[in-house]
């Protein structure tokens, strides 16, 4: 006669432990939102629309973030404008024109993706900024920040595109080859349009990452709070601002920084939802 | 081969160079600035004169401490959450989609926001101050989505046939998890742990106002400690004459990350890379 | 009169909106071997899975109708653990656990509370019952995955038998094996008749004719499966009462 073992009682404990772990993720997200909101809401209520001004002078009690929002957006958009097309074209080229070197190059790209942002920033300071400075001082500028960011988001953008192309059914390419169509034509008319939603979804996410990037931008953007008149003007992003001023900010100033953090969080959330919509699905494991 | 294809072929090669050349320059500039400084002495000496001289020994210790705290929290919770997803949440159900959405959101949150949260919650609210503990905990939250997703992928990769056999024999959930599921998924879970380590080591913004800036050897987990990434930032931006050592530290950090990546590739995923 | 060991009455299995099989009824007497035959897609495997409630874990799957084991109707609200001790299952693809040979048998025994001292005794009994004991007794601590396909399948049968079930469900147990192994497994199944009640899904009509006591023929009608005829083996093959049965079974060679 077999009796029920105690393992089945252990199951109840395990079930509850796992539920707790599952709730952890939700708890963390809720905690982040809660902390940011609690910190910044009274401030937002008090200062409201003034936040959209151009005047950021915490010493005088002025917290206009518009110039920094502009800095973030302009830097990220230019970065995406450079990295996006290069990533897509390079991924397509590797897959359909140079398949023999694809694997080693992708390994290199994966390594690139893991390089810390401070190291990219370091390179920017050592090489890029002095180089731009030769033509257009001061060197640390919108352009410098965008170039460094472009290099940072390129690897993942490329890998996402490569995955998207890899998921296409092989029969499209076969049909094209049988009809002796050029690869460029196939890419333009069939392959890229088919993979487009996944590719764009990935690019939107990388744009979000660019907006959230702090260190590399901090090191090469020049950090002057202003709307840039040209590519060579220094700018300050929202993220760099938090990193720079949090160390010594007090009172209202500190709370303003939390508010800018909340703004970043909201924009990130919106971009994420947008990327889901574009792809036409939601979370997919793996 | 048509004319368009020929042009495209060449264009692609140009693009490749456009990417590889800056990367090569990056490596070269680091080696040029700091390559000469790398030696066993560099790794074993503590920094002097605010980092202008000396080595990075205390930083290696601090970084190790922060990493340990991070993993001690992130690995069990991450594995637990992944197990929850694979065992108690049917794939494609509403709960799976919602939880997946939450994880995607956490993965997309900018690191500086994790820094703000860590500062307000760990350093101030929990009273941990600027410490290795604060930094490690904040970092754990940041790598949690990555850990969960890697572990979940590994768990879902265990063949269905084992699960069916287990169900037909009415094996308890605890027995199934302990003796079949986790051991089979172990290589993939190990990959997740190493990926999380790599991410944690590369991170700076989270640590700026949680772990602090102190250069000396930390006394305890509650003592402040400076991570390698933060050191690079400080030397480059705030310390005149700090560039050579910033570059040298950068080389050390990149070397560690490359070794981790290759370890994953060589021992845990011999047949394919992440991208195949 | 003793009730049949296994009795299905009006069992239907639905996956979401789609019906896999509808209104299936059959009875298997104690110690008998019934073959469940029919073309692909008529829901035979789904029917089998519904008996030991493997369907419980499939999202969106609904089972209706009654299944009775030894005269008692199975209650779907109860825990399935006790049921799966009385009904064992062997799958089409051999699926031994990635453990040692002996642990493949010790593990289920440990899970079901059998004392440590008894486990090895029962394991040996099960291995003898499937004719594997002499072949593997020298390498019990080695991984089960190192066995040949036929040996793995017999190990899976031993694993099912080690819990001493009354009924054994077999889902095309020989179809993934080479002819020699297939014959060995088939002979093993015959040897189990009498001690166990067996319900076996098979595509191989010749096999069914050789070894089954009774046969249930399934067919696809109106896009889902149904039972067309269920009778003693000789009746089904020699005097089929349904035209579909006659047509289908005429395809088999003697």
């Amino acid at each position: 006669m077999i009796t029920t073992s105690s393992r089945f009682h252990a199951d109840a404990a395990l079930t509850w432990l796992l539920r707790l772990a599952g709730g952890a993720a939700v708890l963390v997200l809720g905690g982040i939102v809660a902390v940011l909101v609690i910190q910044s809401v009274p401030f937002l209520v008090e200062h409201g629309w003034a936040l959209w001004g151009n005047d950021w002078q915490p010493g005088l009690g002025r917290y206009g973030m518009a110039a920094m929002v502009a800095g973030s957006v302009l830097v990220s958009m230019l970065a995406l404008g450079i990295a996006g097309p290069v990533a897509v074209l390079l991924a397509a080229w590797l897959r359909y024109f140079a398949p023999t070197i694809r694997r080693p190059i992708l390994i290199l790209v994966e390594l690139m993706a893991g390089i810390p942002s401070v190291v990219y920033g370091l390179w920017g300071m050592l090489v890029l900024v002095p180089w731009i400075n030769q033509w257009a001082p001061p060197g640390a500028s919108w352009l410098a920040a965008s170039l460094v960011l472009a290099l940072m988001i390129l690897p993942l953008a490329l890998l996402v595109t490569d995955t998207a192309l890899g998921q296409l059914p092989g029969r499209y390419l076969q049909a094209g080859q049988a009809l002796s169509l050029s690869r460029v034509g196939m890419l333009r008319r069939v392959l890229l349009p088919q993979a487009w939603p996944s590719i764009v979804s990935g690019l939107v996410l990388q744009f979000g990452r660019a907006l959230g990037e702090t260190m590399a931008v901090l090191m090469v953007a020049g950090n002057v709070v202003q709307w840039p008149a040209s590519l060579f003007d220094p700018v300050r992003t929202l993220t760099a601002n938090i990193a720079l001023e949090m160390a010594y900010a007090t009172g209202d100033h500190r709370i303003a920084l939390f508010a800018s953090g909340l703004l970043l969080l909201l924009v990130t959330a919106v971009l994420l939802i947008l990327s889901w919509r574009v792809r036409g699905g939601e979370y997919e494991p793996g | 081969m048509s004319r368009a294809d020929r042009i495209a072929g060449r264009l692609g090669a140009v693009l490749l160079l456009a990417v590889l050349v800056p990367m090569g320059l990056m490596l070269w500039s680091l080696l040029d600035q700091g390559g000469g400084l790398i030696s066993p002495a560099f790794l074993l000496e503590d920094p002097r004169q605010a980092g202008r001289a000396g080595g990075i020994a205390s930083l290696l210790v601090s970084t190790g401490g922060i990493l340990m705290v991070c993993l001690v929290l992130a690995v069990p919770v991450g594995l637990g959450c992944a197990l929850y997803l694979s065992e108690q949440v049917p794939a494609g159900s509403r709960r799976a989609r919602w939880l997946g959405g939450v994880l995607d959101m956490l993965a997309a949150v900018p690191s500086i926001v994790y820094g703000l949260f860590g500062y307000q919650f760990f350093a101030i609210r929990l009273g941990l101050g600027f410490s290795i503990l604060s930094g490690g905990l904040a970092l754990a939250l940041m790598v949690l989505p990555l850990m969960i997703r890697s572990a979940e992928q590994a768990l879902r990769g265990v063949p269905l046939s084992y699960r069916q056999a287990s169900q037909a024999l009415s094996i308890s959930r605890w027995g199934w998890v302990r003796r079949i599921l986790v051991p089979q998924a172990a290589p993939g879970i190990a990959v997740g742990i190493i990926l999380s380590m790599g991410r944690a080591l590369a991170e700076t913004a989270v640590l700026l106002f949680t772990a602090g800036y102190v250069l000396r050897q930390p006394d305890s987990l509650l003592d402040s400690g400076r991570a390698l990434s933060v050191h690079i930032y400080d030397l480059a931006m705030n310390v005149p004459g700090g560039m050579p050592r910033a570059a040298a530290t950068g080389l050390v950090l990149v070397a560690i990350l490359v070794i981790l990546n290759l370890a994953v590739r060589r021992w845990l995923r011999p047949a394919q890379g992440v991208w195949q | 009169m003793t009730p049949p060991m296994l009795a299905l009455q009006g069992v239907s299995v639905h996956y979401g909106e789609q019906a896999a099989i509808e209104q299936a009824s059959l009875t298997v007497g104690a110690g008998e071997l019934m073959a469940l035959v029919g073309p692909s897609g008529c829901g035979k495997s789904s029917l089998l899975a519904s008996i030991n409630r493997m369907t419980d874990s499939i999202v969106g799957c609904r089972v209706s109708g009654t299944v009775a084991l030894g005269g008692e109707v199975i209650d779907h609200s109860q825990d399935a653990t006790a049921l799966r001790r009385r009904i064992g299952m062997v799958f089409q693809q051999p699926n031994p656990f990635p453990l040692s040979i002996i642990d493949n048998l010790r593990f289920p025994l440990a899970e079901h509370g059998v004392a440590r001292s008894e486990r090895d005794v029962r394991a040996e009994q099960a291995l003898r019952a499937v004719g594997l004991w002499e072949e593997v007794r020298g390498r019990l601590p080695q991984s089960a995955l190192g066995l040949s396909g036929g040996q793995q399948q017999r190990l899976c049968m031993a694993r099912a038998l080690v819990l001493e079930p009354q009924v054994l469900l077999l889902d095309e147990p020989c179809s993934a094996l080479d002819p020699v192994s297939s014959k060995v497994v088939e002979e093993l199944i015959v040897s189990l008749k009498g001690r166990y009640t067996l319900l076996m899904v098979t595509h191989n009509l010749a096999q069914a004719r050789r070894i089954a006591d009774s046969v249930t023929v399934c067919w696809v009608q109106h896009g889902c499966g149904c039972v067309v005829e269920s009778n003693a083996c000789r009746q089904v093959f020699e005097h089929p009462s349904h035209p579909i049965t006659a047509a289908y079974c005429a395809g088999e060679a003697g």
Side-chain angles (χ1 to χ4, degrees), chain A residues 75-89:
Chain A
V75 164
S76 302
M77 275 183 60
L78 183 57
L80 190 67
I82 299 172
V86 173
V88 173
L89 291 174

Side-chain angles (χ1 to χ4, degrees), chain C residues 130 135 149-151 153-154 157 173-192 200 204 207 210-211:
Chain C
V130 303
E135 289 173 54
Q151 286 174 323
Q153 189 66 307
R154 284 186 283 154
M157 291 181 70
C174 300
S175 63
L177 304 175
D178 65 86
V180 173
S181 308
S182 177
K183 187 157 187 293
V184 173
V185 172
E186 186 181 301
E187 284 167 6
L188 169 58
I189 293 174
V190 170
S191 74
L192 295 175
M200 181 174 81
N204 189 339
Q207 180 182 65
R210 272 198 300 272
I211 65 177

Side-chain angles (χ1 to χ4, degrees), chain C:
Chain C
M1 172 156 113
T2 52
M5 195 65 214
L6 191 62
L8 271 68
Q9 183 75 358
V11 173
S12 306
V13 181
H14 291 253
Y15 296 112
E17 290 302 315
Q18 177 72 10
I21 187 165
E22 274 188 342
Q23 295 298 319
S25 301
L26 55 88
T27 58
V28 191
E32 277 186 12
L33 166 61
M34 169 177 278
L36 199 54
V37 303
S40 305
C42 61
K44 311 191 292 291
S45 294
S46 301
L47 189 62
L48 211 69
S50 70
I51 298 176
N52 67 342
R53 289 176 57 191
M54 292 287 283
T55 44
D56 283 2
S57 57
I58 302 176
V59 179
C61 181
R62 277 176 305 121
V63 175
S64 54
T66 53
V67 178
L69 180 64
E72 299 166 38
V73 174
I74 294 173
D75 182 358
H76 274 247
S77 59
Q78 290 248 311
D79 187 45
T81 309
L83 178 67
R84 292 181 188 150
R85 275 187 226 134
R86 299 170 67 191
I87 306 183
M89 191 173 224
V90 176
F91 299 84
Q92 184 174 354
Q93 286 287 346
N95 55 5
F97 292 129
L99 305 169
S100 68
I101 295 175
I102 187 67
D103 277 343
N104 257 271
L105 299 167
R106 281 187 192 145
F107 181 36
L109 287 170
E111 283 287 306
H112 288 262
V114 171
R116 201 178 283 270
S117 49
E118 251 205 81
R119 287 177 208 166
D120 283 359
V121 173
R122 305 249 304 238
E124 182 183 330
Q125 277 176 354
L127 286 170
R128 282 189 193 277
V130 303
L132 260 186
W133 177 246
E134 290 304 323
E135 289 173 54
V136 301
R137 63 186 298 180
R139 43 174 169 150
L140 291 174
Q142 288 178 22
S143 169
L145 301 178
L147 295 172
S148 74
Q151 286 174 323
Q152 285 187 11
Q153 189 66 307
R154 284 186 283 154
L155 181 61
C156 292
M157 291 181 70
R159 186 181 60 186
L161 292 177
V162 90
L163 294 180
E164 292 172 1
Q166 294 166 295
V167 174
L168 204 56
L169 303 173
L170 304 123
D171 193 349
E172 301 195 47
C174 300
S175 63
L177 304 175
D178 65 86
V180 173
S181 308
S182 177
K183 187 157 187 293
V184 173
V185 172
E186 186 181 301
E187 284 167 6
L188 169 58
I189 293 174
V190 170
S191 74
L192 295 175
K193 284 205 287 187
R195 272 181 294 164
Y196 302 93
T197 305
L198 304 134
L199 179 56
M200 181 174 81
V201 169
T202 180
H203 266 142
N204 189 339
L205 286 174
Q207 180 182 65
R209 190 166 191 177
R210 272 198 300 272
I211 65 177
D213 297 311
S214 50
V215 176
T216 298
V217 181
C218 299
W219 202 252
V220 180
Q221 267 178 350
H222 314 300
C224 83
C226 61
V227 170
V228 157
E229 185 167 345
S230 179
N231 222 325
C233 183
R234 276 191 83 188
Q235 284 293 104
V236 169
F237 281 103
E238 291 172 17
H239 308 287
S241 48
H242 201 283
I244 290 181
T245 316
Y248 185 61
C249 294
E252 65 95 0

